[in-house]
Amino acid sequence: MLNAVQSKEAAIQIEVTSPEIRGVGSKRYVDYTVKVKTTLPIFSQNESVIHRRYSDFEWLHKELENADTKIAVPSLPDKAWQRQLPFRKDDGLFQDDFIEERRQGLESFINKIATHPLAQNERALHVFLFEPEIDLTKYVRGKIKK
């Protein structure tokens, strides 16, 4: 029985790595590399490397909360409003320790979601994990039919 559980857990692995600060001034943001490896047949690809920012994770969270399922969507790491206040004596949102803490939280979030059988059927998760860009002009909420 333990082997079945172990192989099921290994069916999808997601790493959130390489946080990089992009943009200038008030348009700065942190870009994360999301690496996906899966053997699950519900996904059309076995591997993916895409770039996402915190707002993309927020989009996925919102989509899954609004989905017509019974998924208990785990929370994201905090938005950290206080880190965005002007006149701070540190780098706020761009402080190394904060970026690493957020990276770990995002990785935990996406792994919990991706291993959930109901979430795996949601188009939002497929778009998030495999599309280079989340194009909201083409996106239609719904389930994947396999």
Side-chain angles (χ1 to χ4, degrees), residues 12 14 34 36 38 40 42-45 48 50 52 56-57 59-61 63-64 67 71 109-131 134 139-144:
I12 187 160
I14 304 173
V34 179
V36 182
T38 184
L40 294 171
I42 187 75
F43 296 109
S44 60
Q45 295 174 259
S48 174
I50 42 106
R52 296 290 180 249
D56 296 327
F57 285 87
W59 171 82
L60 177 63
H61 188 273
E63 282 298 308
L64 293 174
I71 301 168
F109 165 80
I110 195 61
N111 275 287
K112 285 176 187 170
I113 290 296
T115 56
H116 193 292
L118 293 175
Q120 291 171 356
N121 291 317
E122 292 298 323
R123 186 170 285 116
L125 180 63
H126 290 246
V127 167
F128 182 89
L129 293 177
F130 297 103
E131 296 293 326
I134 298 173
Y139 172 74
V140 178
R141 183 180 295 149
K143 305 227 179 302
I144 297 293

Side-chain angles (χ1 to χ4, degrees), residues 70 77 82 94:
K70 305 284 187 247
Q82 291 179 334
F94 305 102

Side-chain angles (χ1 to χ4, degrees), residues 81-142:
W81 295 111
Q82 291 179 334
R83 286 190 170 271
Q84 298 177 40
L85 295 173
F87 312 114
R88 288 181 60 96
K89 301 226 185 299
D90 63 11
D91 279 338
L93 290 175
F94 305 102
Q95 198 67 25
D96 288 345
D97 60 340
F98 175 75
I99 290 173
E100 176 55 21
E101 187 180 312
R102 180 176 268 184
R103 184 204 64 74
Q104 289 173 8
L106 294 173
E107 186 173 85
S108 174
F109 165 80
I110 195 61
N111 275 287
K112 285 176 187 170
I113 290 296
T115 56
H116 193 292
L118 293 175
Q120 291 171 356
N121 291 317
E122 292 298 323
R123 186 170 285 116
L125 180 63
H126 290 246
V127 167
F128 182 89
L129 293 177
F130 297 103
E131 296 293 326
E133 299 291 326
I134 298 173
D135 185 349
L136 297 179
T137 63
K138 295 179 183 174
Y139 172 74
V140 178
R141 183 180 295 149

Side-chain angles (χ1 to χ4, degrees), residues 3 15-16 27 34 47 55 107-108 117 120:
N3 286 342
E15 289 181 285
V16 177
K27 302 277 188 220
V34 179
E47 290 187 24
S55 58
E107 186 173 85
S108 174
Q120 291 171 356

